[in-house]
Amino acid sequence: MRHRTCLTLLGVLTAATALAQTEPQKSPPLATVTPPPNVQTAGKIPAEKSPPPPTSPVAQTQGEITTPAPEDKNPPPPFDTANMDTSVKPSDDFFLYANGGWIKRTPIPPEYSRWGSFNQLIEKNNDALHDVAERAAGETTATNPDAKKVGDYYASGMDEAKVEVAHARPLADELKRIDGVKDRNDVLKEIAHLHTLGVTSLFGFTSGQDDKNSTMVIAQAYQGGLGMPDRDYYTKTDDASKKLRDQYVQHVTKMLTLLGEEPKAAGEHAKKILALETSLAQASRTKVELRDPQKNYNKMKASALQALTPDFKWDTYFKETNLPNSGELNVGQPDFFKGANKVFTSTPIDDWKEYFRWHLVHATAGELSADFVNENFSFYETTLRGTKQIKPRWKRVVASTDSSIGEALGKLYVADYFPPESKARMLDLVNNLRSALADRIKTLEWMDDATKEAALKKLAAFTVKIGYPDKWRDYSGLQIDRGPFVLNAIRASIFDVHRDLNKIGKPVDRLEWGMTPPTVNAYYNPKLNEIVFPAGILQPPFFNPKADDAINYGGIGAVIGHEMTHGFDDQGRQFDEVGNLRDWWTPESAAKFKERSGAVVKQYSEYEPLPGLHVNGELTQGENIADIGGVKIAYAALQKALAGKPQEKIDGFTPQQRFFLGFAQIWRSVQRDEDLKLMVNTNPHSPARYRVNGPLSDLVEFQKAFNLPDSCPMVRPADKKVNIW
Ligand SMILES: [Zn+2]
């Protein structure tokens, strides 16, 4: 199951306040949800699960592409000039100049919809996790409780014969409950029950930091209930969207058939499920609307929520979810709840039962027998992303383990695979970047002194988390055994939901992490005003202890700068130094920021990754602001680090040039068209090529380093250059 949500990298999560990540990974094990637009944490979002589901970004090891050789006897150079395409001029397309050689000779592995630096490192980490999990599973007498849980969980997933024989039988109790639904009150109770399992149903409900009182956790109710990646998939009227909806109906039909329904009846039910979800989609806000934290903050008493949904009895809901006193709660999208009330009352009871069956089997498909797994893969991976081949079982089971008990697995992983000296070196880099950003804020031409002072205060207050949590999650109350795989996943999800809801009304725990340690990603969380770098990303090509400064500042330095800049992007700037949603800007400086961020929206809206498909400049503006600021700040920090040192060329390139080559290298990737389309429609990150060419064409430092003319594709005209941070 994918009960966790994650804020995927660099942004999968789009929601107003979700974590701003670095990489648009398809959330690996962590789910990708319609995040509660106001929910702070990257944690998980219990009651809502991932539309683009099982997508562990794990790849196959084949040929030159992957070769994650556990011990590299001949590690590649920090920047390999063989990856360049010098037939392309750096002034025309720097992304291709730096990466074109690699792109030309690299096929997309059949298990992947996108393949690049991030995925290669994920594969390397997968091998490490594989080793950790296999060892844990082999020690049947383990005394370390984390190793025991990891070993049992992994072993239950790897017992393919048992999983096949069981088919959907482990779900029998849940399916029986659904069969027993007789009236609307039962429907309400089943919605609540499925939420306690972490299964999508009607709307989302979880706990999260109060945006305007950052010390406290409150309940959060938000839009949800869909099976496709976004509301737009239900509402768009073009031919491709209509075709996709037909394919979705076919998929739902097949899943219901696998549960034992007659194909004809299942087909009728699937159409009704689409109709129900379409009504919810029509009441839902767009991803761009979800980016506005003020609009998605609507704190109210439970009685006010009750008034929005007169027919949905919240007392019953709270009783079923064991929340007798929810206190004041944030209702992210009040209009959605008005719409949901109508759907709740107008949908026939039998249609609800089909909807529940569908979402139950959808949530658990990855841990069921091969017929479920393959059908799920066929729609969510092949149809939606173009992926050709499913990953081997062990990779899927490792991803499930990471999703369910990620800090137990992560604890074992860092003990064996994370060198403690990496932490000290990273802290150094972060401090250098922080001081470069402070220098920059002090000299900003467009910001007044009062706002500068507040911005510097916020920057100084950043919390920095590196590697893994200081305090690990306690799984002692969770039962994991070598019985049915899917029941382990369900119990882990229940455990997570319970843990989440249990936080309501309590102080915020600022030590929590929103990503597991092996994750190849990073994030900024505006509600905790923190930047977080899991152990997984602190390796080449991002962070390379053997590389020169230029490569490290262009790699992990730009990632650090990116996360820091998120504190000052269109969303992050609305939160103060302790994470409260509070306006600390003078009206003059705010107006100037908006003028400049408007130019970012315009710049990126021009980009057209596929014919007729433009980047959504509004949706991606926060990430683009962070990309532009991140590389600029990292470059300034490198200049400081190089001061007074000999600046030798390597492979014929100056340190300044190597910085930009190293930066371009981290975004090296090849991607299937389907995946690109899904990304542009739903992901707040721009496609890789524009994450390189966009920021660099704004940067005079880049123009200077490569001695480019004023007029060329990689140098925007002076009056169109964007310069914020
Ligand atoms: Zn980001």
Side-chain angles (χ1 to χ4, degrees):
M1 299 189 56
R2 262 131 264 190
H3 31 279
R4 287 181 175 234
T5 295
C6 131
L7 341 157
T8 296
L9 256 249
L10 307 183
V12 172
L13 310 202
T14 343
T17 13
L19 312 190
Q21 313 160 347
T22 308
E23 217 275 323
Q25 248 173 33
K26 333 179 250 179
S27 24
L30 311 192
T32 308
V33 184
T34 303
N38 263 327
V39 174
Q40 49 101 262
T41 181
K44 40 222 79 222
I45 291 168
E48 179 63 89
K49 326 177 347 171
S50 67
T55 306
S56 82
V58 209
Q60 186 181 31
T61 317
Q62 53 160 32
E64 163 251 316
I65 327 178
T66 348
T67 341
E71 279 143 35
D72 281 336
K73 292 200 182 76
N74 295 305
F79 179 82
D80 190 347
T81 52
N83 291 336
M84 299 174 68
D85 181 352
T86 49
S87 71
V88 177
K89 286 195 242 159
S91 56
D92 283 347
D93 186 332
F94 193 75
F95 178 77
L96 281 185
Y97 169 72
N99 297 316
W102 180 87
I103 289 171
K104 273 186 197 162
R105 66 169 190 271
T106 304
I108 305 173
E111 294 174 13
Y112 273 87
S113 58
R114 185 166 58 98
W115 180 249
S117 299
F118 279 85
N119 313 86
Q120 285 175 299
L121 184 48
I122 287 166
E123 273 303 296
K124 182 172 178 249
N125 287 353
N126 264 333
D127 284 339
L129 295 173
H130 190 196
D131 166 59
V132 166
E134 284 282 347
R135 274 189 285 138
E139 277 181 43
T140 44
T141 55
T143 49
N144 172 338
D146 291 311
K148 170 119 183 58
K149 287 211 160 64
V150 167
D152 288 349
Y153 191 100
Y154 179 77
S156 77
M158 290 306 290
D159 193 342
E160 193 169 359
K162 205 191 260 176
V163 171
E164 289 309 312
V165 168
H167 199 246
R169 270 196 306 281
L171 299 181
D173 287 350
E174 290 301 331
L175 290 167
K176 207 171 144 198
R177 258 193 77 105
I178 295 171
D179 286 342
V181 168
K182 296 278 183 285
D183 56 25
R184 216 154 290 276
N185 193 46
D186 289 346
V187 170
L188 195 163
K189 285 186 183 169
E190 186 60 19
I191 290 168
H193 174 72
L194 290 175
H195 284 180
T196 65
L197 264 54
V199 172
T200 294
S201 197
L202 187 59
F203 59 89
F205 195 89
T206 184
S207 65
Q209 199 166 332
D210 183 343
D211 274 5
K212 296 194 178 176
N213 175 9
S214 67
T215 61
M216 290 301 293
V217 178
I218 58 173
Q220 311 268 351
Y222 54 94
Q223 69 185 44
L226 308 181
M228 283 198 282
D230 184 55
R231 69 172 303 279
D232 290 355
Y233 282 75
Y234 296 85
T235 58
K236 280 162 99 173
T237 54
D238 59 283
D239 288 346
S241 299
K242 284 184 196 157
K243 185 176 168 205
L244 204 54
R245 286 196 286 275
D246 288 343
Q247 290 169 309
Y248 180 62
V249 167
Q250 285 165 23
H251 168 62
V252 176
T253 302
K254 283 185 196 154
M255 293 296 270
L256 293 176
T257 309
L258 290 175
L259 281 183
E261 296 190 13
E262 291 300 322
K264 190 156 175 279
E268 292 306 312
H269 296 152
K271 281 184 205 151
K272 289 179 175 162
I273 288 166
L274 176 70
L276 192 167
E277 293 184 2
T278 302
S279 305
L280 295 177
Q282 284 161 346
S284 297
R285 287 186 183 157
T286 66
K287 282 191 181 293
V288 170
E289 290 167 331
L290 292 175
R291 290 185 63 77
D292 181 344
Q294 291 286 1
K295 200 175 167 196
N296 292 282
Y297 182 79
N298 306 286
K299 193 166 138 180
M300 58 181 78
K301 293 202 166 65
S303 55
L305 172 59
Q306 187 57 73
L308 283 175
T309 61
D311 301 298
F312 189 90
K313 300 299 173 205
W314 287 91
D315 282 352
T316 308
Y317 179 85
F318 292 139
K319 196 168 157 237
E320 293 297 311
T321 48
N322 203 18
L323 270 176
N325 180 14
S326 69
E328 281 194 294
L329 30 79
N330 181 47
V331 179
Q333 302 76 32
D335 286 344
F336 172 83
F337 282 88
K338 286 186 200 163
N341 186 69
K342 270 189 215 146
V343 174
F344 174 64
T345 51
S346 63
T347 303
I349 307 295
D350 282 345
D351 294 0
W352 274 117
K353 290 160 79 165
E354 295 300 335
Y355 173 84
F356 295 149
R357 283 187 193 106
W358 151 239
H359 278 288
L360 176 68
V361 70
H362 173 53
T364 51
E367 284 88 15
L368 292 175
S369 52
D371 40 5
F372 292 97
V373 169
N374 293 335
E375 176 53 36
N376 188 53
F377 173 82
S378 163
F379 181 73
Y380 287 99
E381 277 298 319
T382 306
T383 303
L384 283 179
R385 297 184 183 275
T387 314
K388 307 286 180 218
Q389 184 182 308
I390 198 161
K391 293 180 175 68
R393 181 166 200 90
W394 71 263
K395 289 186 190 175
R396 289 181 274 123
V397 176
V398 162
S400 177
T401 313
D402 183 59
S403 171
S404 287
I405 47 173
E407 286 198 11
L409 179 64
K411 195 172 175 185
L412 304 176
Y413 164 81
V414 298
D416 288 346
Y417 288 91
F418 183 61
E421 53 281 14
S422 293
K423 202 161 176 169
R425 177 85 183 102
M426 260 304 275
L427 261 178
D428 254 4
L429 282 165
V430 169
N431 287 335
N432 294 349
L433 267 285
R434 197 194 306 237
S435 113
L437 178 52
D439 290 349
R440 173 81 184 127
I441 290 172
K442 285 177 202 158
T443 55
L444 280 181
E445 50 287 5
W446 55 271
M447 190 182 256
D448 57 31
D449 288 345
T451 312
K452 279 182 186 172
E453 200 180 309
L456 288 166
K457 195 168 158 196
K458 175 166 180 175
L459 177 63
F462 272 17
T463 297
V464 182
K465 293 178 177 172
I466 295 169
Y468 53 87
D470 288 338
K471 186 184 84 181
W472 293 96
R473 217 167 259 202
D474 175 8
Y475 294 104
S476 55
L478 169 63
Q479 185 203 334
I480 298 293
D481 56 35
R482 300 201 177 199
F485 182 36
V486 70
L487 294 186
N488 275 332
I490 290 176
R491 282 192 301 267
S493 190
I494 292 172
F495 183 78
D496 258 350
V497 173
H498 176 75
R499 185 174 172 280
D500 255 324
L501 295 183
N502 199 34
K503 295 176 191 170
I504 293 171
K506 301 193 177 133
V508 169
D509 177 359
R510 301 183 80 95
L511 296 178
E512 285 201 340
W513 280 53
M515 283 179 187
T516 64
T519 308
V520 182
N521 210 335
Y523 65 86
Y524 171 74
N525 181 352
K527 305 188 182 198
L528 295 178
N529 193 28
E530 64 176 7
I531 48 177
V532 184
F533 305 94
I537 198 171
L538 304 179
Q539 304 176 74
F542 299 91
F543 175 72
N544 186 344
K546 297 198 177 84
D548 49 310
D549 275 346
I551 294 298
N552 278 323
Y553 278 86
I556 198 73
V559 172
I560 296 168
H562 173 101
E563 301 306 341
M564 284 186 172
T565 308
H566 271 311
F568 304 96
D569 72 12
D570 62 312
Q571 298 183 323
R573 75 172 194 89
Q574 300 185 59
F575 292 80
D576 70 10
E577 77 278 5
V578 295
N580 279 319
L581 181 57
R582 176 178 73 80
D583 190 2
W584 46 270
W585 293 61
T586 62
E588 296 74 28
S589 287
K592 286 188 177 147
F593 176 89
K594 282 182 192 154
E595 193 183 303
R596 284 164 189 253
S597 60
V600 175
V601 172
K602 221 168 150 202
Q603 176 184 340
Y604 283 77
S605 300
E606 288 169 11
Y607 298 140
E608 190 178 356
L610 289 172
L613 182 72
H614 283 257
V615 171
N616 182 339
E618 293 280 352
L619 176 62
T620 57
Q621 74 164 300
E623 295 300 333
N624 299 332
I625 291 170
D627 281 342
I628 297 168
V631 67
K632 188 177 173 84
I633 298 156
Y635 185 84
L638 171 67
Q639 294 309 105
K640 272 176 130 175
L642 291 175
K645 290 188 193 160
Q647 304 200 6
E648 285 159 12
K649 286 189 177 179
I650 299 178
D651 298 326
F653 294 107
T654 64
Q656 289 73 17
Q657 290 171 332
R658 280 173 65 74
F659 169 89
F660 292 113
L661 290 167
F663 170 69
Q665 150 177 271
I666 66 174
W667 298 114
R668 171 176 85 203
S669 65
V670 283
Q671 187 170 18
R672 299 187 197 279
D673 285 355
E674 294 90 336
D675 192 58
L676 185 56
K677 210 173 153 191
L678 178 72
M679 180 182 186
V680 170
N681 286 332
T682 60
N683 198 295
H685 300 92
S686 295
R689 180 186 211 137
Y690 309 110
R691 299 195 71 169
V692 174
N693 291 353
L696 298 191
S697 63
D698 283 321
L699 217 61
V700 287
E701 294 89 334
F702 167 73
Q703 181 184 3
K704 238 183 251 165
F706 284 88
N707 197 19
L708 304 183
D710 281 336
S711 174
C712 66
M714 282 304 303
V715 177
R716 289 174 68 80
D719 62 338
K720 285 195 172 166
K721 276 203 175 77
V722 176
N723 193 3
I724 308 182
W725 299 106

